[in-house]
């Protein structure tokens, strides 16, 4: 036997990979039996590609009324099945106030108006916007409510299990293409004192939000492209506001109007919701930025470990204010931590994939990850978060909370099943 092959045999025998190689043979023959290669040729089928029929990951749609009020349309990303850092457009989470389907907008009829405290008000067509110098950026988008205790309570109330997807699925990452808002504002000419920007959507709910001019001039995009094609209707076709690293609600979809002012507009979504209460009972308005977060996506409560041996712990980390610098992983409930490996590319305000090899010997284990960004801001434990906000530990059973980023523990049981160990609800 050639020595190379002998070496390979030895390697396979000595590792858990031997078991995987054997099951790969089983899969090969299953493919042959499925006989797909004999399926009749169909041109239509290939005009716009579909994934393999063996792939089944879908969004989790929150049924109207349960567990969210029926004025919200919500679909959550199957983050437990994520691969790499890009969310396929068809699996991007969606969150729409008003509960309506995406408006059916003809891009030839659509206009973007820029007015208020500007020298030259503008009304632009899609064609005019597409003619301008464009940029493409990979950015994460996360709802303010993602991972928060409200998600747990809603699931409990509806007697639904809380899962990684229903608790943490309000986050996705895409390549977005469009024009910098700063370019349009320079074109319109800011009047002295213009310090706030209002963005308005064309949906029935007329979603409106305001942001300070500094952010608008820094990195906000007017987006028409997502992952190499036009925005999906759920994501705001034909035009949306993309405010990198700031909570989802500000990223106005179906964008039709931008107005400049010398003060915030105090719209419904920025004055009556998406706020946090401190222990003093006062509401915190305008908390824009998403804090650093790391989430182990495999293994998590959607999975079951089939047996002892080698596993690659894998997850996603991001920060709304910068680049992920470090992710640490603990497999013993936080007693010891190891640095995870960060996979390239590591981009600003984008999903960053991290991995750590792990040998599971069948013991009970608690897996968790924590993220530190390039400003040195680290993800807190639940106890640290409580201390920061001055709330008692039973606060989460009733309180509302935006931009929740406490470390998420997954408990691995001896039988390989995994449960969410965040709270003792
Ligand atoms: N026009 C409009 N824009 C909107 C919303 C909306 O209801 N209408 N929902 C906001 C909220 S709460 C979130 S979290 C993000 C979600 O973006 P997505 O649906 O593309 O994931 O869109 C924001 N932009
Ligand atoms: Mo949101």
């Amino acid at each position: 036997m050639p020595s190379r092959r002998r070496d390979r045999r030895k390697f396979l025998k000595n590792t858990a990979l031997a078991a995987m190689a054997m099951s790969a043979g089983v899969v090969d023959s299953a493919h042959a039996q499925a006989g797909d290669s004999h399926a009749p040729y169909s041109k239509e089928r290939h005009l716009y590609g579909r994934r393999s029929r063996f792939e089944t990951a879908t969004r989790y749609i929150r049924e109207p009324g349960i567990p969210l009020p029926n004025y919200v349309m919500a679909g959550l990303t199957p983050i437990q099945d994520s691969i790499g850092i890009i969310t396929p457009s068809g699996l991007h989470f969606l969150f729409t106030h008003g509960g309506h389907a995406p408006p059916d907008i003809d891009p030839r009829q659509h206009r973007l108006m820029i007015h208020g405290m500007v020298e030259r008000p503008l009304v632009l067509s899609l064609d005019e916007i597409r003619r301008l110098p464009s940029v493409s950026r990979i950015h994460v988008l996360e709802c303010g409510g993602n991972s928060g205790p409200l998600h747990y309570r809603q699931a409990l109330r509806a007697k639904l299990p809380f899962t990684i997807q229903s608790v943490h699925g309000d986050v996705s990452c895409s390549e977005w293409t469009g024009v910098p808002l700063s370019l349009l504002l320079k074109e319109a000419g800011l009047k002295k004192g213009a310090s706030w920007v209002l963005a308005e959507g064309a949906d029935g709910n007329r979603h409106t939000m305001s942001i300070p001019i500094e952010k608008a001039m820094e990195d906000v995009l007017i987006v028409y492209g997502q992952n190499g094609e036009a925005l999906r209707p759920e994501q705001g076709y034909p035009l949306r506001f993309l405010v990198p690293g700031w909570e989802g609600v500000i990223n106005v979809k179906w964008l039709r109007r931008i107005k400049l002012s010398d003060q915030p507009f105090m719209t419904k979504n920025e004055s009556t919701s998406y706020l946090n209460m401190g222990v003093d009972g006062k509401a915190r308005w305008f908390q824009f930025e998403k804090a650093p977060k790391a989430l182990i996506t495999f293994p998590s409560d959607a999975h079951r470990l089939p047996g002892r041996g080698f596993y690659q712990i894998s997850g996603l980390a991001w920060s709304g204010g910068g680049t992920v610098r470090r992710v640490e992983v603990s497999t013993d409930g936080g007693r010891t931590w190891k640095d995870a490996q960060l996979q390239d590319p590591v981009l600003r305000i984008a999903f960053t994939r991290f991995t750590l090899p792990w040998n599971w010997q069948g013991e009970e284990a608690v897996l968790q990850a924590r993220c530190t960004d390039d400003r040195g801001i680290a993800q807190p434990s639940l106890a640290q978060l409580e201390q920061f906000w001055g709330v008692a530990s039973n606060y989460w059973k009733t309180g509302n909370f935006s931009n929740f980023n406490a470390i998420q523990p997954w408990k691995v049981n001896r039988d390989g099943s995994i449960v969410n160990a965040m709270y003792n609800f």
Side-chain angles (χ1 to χ4, degrees):
M1 190 194 293
S3 72
R4 228 208 275 134
R5 203 194 280 173
R6 204 165 50 230
D7 286 353
R8 186 167 167 266
R9 271 256 181 100
K10 206 162 111 205
F11 175 70
L12 288 179
K13 237 190 229 158
N14 288 343
T15 67
L17 290 177
M20 293 188 199
M22 277 162 61
S23 59
V26 175
V27 173
D28 278 350
S29 67
H31 279 170
Q33 278 166 26
D36 247 3
S37 56
H38 301 296
Y41 172 76
S42 147
K43 183 181 168 190
E44 282 63 40
R45 207 201 140 116
H46 300 300
L47 287 175
Y48 192 91
R50 270 184 270 170
R51 63 185 172 177
S52 159
R53 65 197 173 93
F54 299 105
E55 295 302 313
T56 54
T58 54
R59 288 180 182 133
Y60 169 68
I61 302 293
R62 287 207 188 101
E63 299 295 335
I66 312 173
L68 276 183
N70 61 6
Y71 53 83
V72 168
M73 172 76 193
L76 296 105
T77 292
I79 197 163
Q80 68 278 10
D81 300 314
S82 61
I83 297 173
I85 62 166
I86 298 292
T87 310
S89 301
L91 295 175
H92 193 287
F93 86 97
L94 66 120
F95 200 105
T96 301
H97 293 261
H100 51 74
D104 187 27
I105 298 177
D106 179 346
R108 288 164 303 188
Q109 306 295 323
H110 192 72
R111 296 289 180 274
L112 174 65
M113 177 162 83
I114 302 179
H115 69 139
M117 292 177 69
V118 293
E119 301 293 345
R120 296 169 293 279
L122 297 173
V123 177
L124 298 166
S125 70
L126 251 292
D127 282 346
E128 286 167 330
I129 292 171
R130 281 170 179 270
R131 275 178 60 182
L132 299 171
S134 65
V135 293
S136 289
R137 306 242 167 86
I138 294 176
H139 281 312
V140 61
L141 178 62
E142 186 182 20
C143 177
N146 194 38
S147 312
L150 194 62
H151 285 197
Y152 288 86
R153 288 208 305 276
Q154 283 160 344
L156 276 179
R157 208 176 306 140
K159 297 195 172 53
L160 293 170
F162 39 76
T163 63
I164 180 172
Q165 186 170 4
S166 65
V167 172
H168 296 289
D170 271 334
V171 61
S172 301
C173 183
S174 290
E175 186 200 61
W176 306 101
T177 299
V179 297
L181 174 58
S182 60
L183 190 140
L184 297 182
L185 293 184
K186 279 176 202 151
E187 194 61 33
L190 291 176
K191 280 199 172 144
K192 202 164 173 297
S195 53
W196 284 81
V197 180
L198 176 89
E200 179 188 81
D203 44 338
N205 201 37
R206 216 176 59 160
H207 191 86
T208 37
M209 295 294 296
S210 34
I211 61 164
I213 193 75
E214 291 78 14
K215 180 70 173 175
M217 298 305 281
E218 188 192 335
D219 59 0
V220 174
L221 300 178
I222 305 298
V223 160
Y224 49 77
Q226 180 186 4
N227 298 332
E229 60 183 354
L231 276 175
R232 292 291 170 103
E234 291 93 332
Q235 267 62 64
Y237 181 86
L239 211 58
R240 89 175 297 163
F241 219 42
L242 205 277
V243 187
W246 286 18
E247 58 179 19
V249 66
I250 303 167
N251 295 257
V252 176
K253 305 188 277 190
W254 312 295
L255 181 69
R256 71 171 178 196
R257 189 163 73 93
I258 289 173
K259 186 174 184 184
L260 279 291
S261 169
D262 56 1
Q263 55 190 305
F265 290 78
M266 303 311 291
T267 69
K268 186 179 89 192
N269 281 316
E270 61 203 26
S271 55
T272 64
S273 58
Y274 292 94
L275 43 81
N276 283 351
M277 289 286 189
V279 69
D280 53 9
K282 289 186 179 155
R284 273 24 174 211
W285 279 333
F286 298 113
Q287 309 173 81
F288 300 117
E289 195 177 290
K290 299 297 300 187
K293 192 184 282 185
L295 179 69
I296 294 174
T297 55
F298 180 88
S300 62
D301 63 3
H303 308 113
R304 189 189 183 106
L305 302 181
R308 298 161 184 228
F310 172 83
Y311 291 94
Q312 174 184 257
I313 295 173
S314 172
L316 292 166
W318 62 95
S319 167
T323 308
V324 172
R325 195 182 61 198
R326 184 179 192 195
V327 176
E328 297 153 279
V329 171
S330 172
T331 57
D332 57 11
R335 275 192 295 281
T336 61
W337 296 83
K338 279 187 194 145
D339 275 308
Q341 199 150 32
L342 303 185
Q343 279 183 2
D344 279 338
V346 178
L347 301 171
R348 189 175 166 268
I349 315 181
F351 273 171
T352 298
R353 175 66 62 178
F354 65 86
T355 61
L356 185 82
W358 181 46
N359 219 317
W360 183 54
Q361 288 311 315
E363 75 279 13
E364 261 187 17
V366 174
L367 311 181
Q368 49 194 343
R370 70 177 177 213
C371 165
T372 306
D373 70 16
D374 59 349
R375 302 168 302 178
I377 298 182
Q379 188 178 355
S381 65
L382 189 61
Q384 286 169 327
L385 201 69
E386 284 159 6
Q387 204 183 10
F388 180 82
W389 285 97
V391 297
S393 57
N394 64 3
Y395 170 80
W396 310 114
K397 297 192 177 175
T398 51
N400 207 343
F401 202 86
S402 246
N403 300 330
F404 183 90
N405 73 328
I407 293 167
Q408 167 67 56
W410 303 121
K411 178 163 171 277
V412 181
N413 296 314
R414 286 180 211 287
D415 64 359
S417 62
I418 300 173
V419 293
N420 188 329
M422 177 66 103
Y423 307 102
N424 301 313
F425 269 149

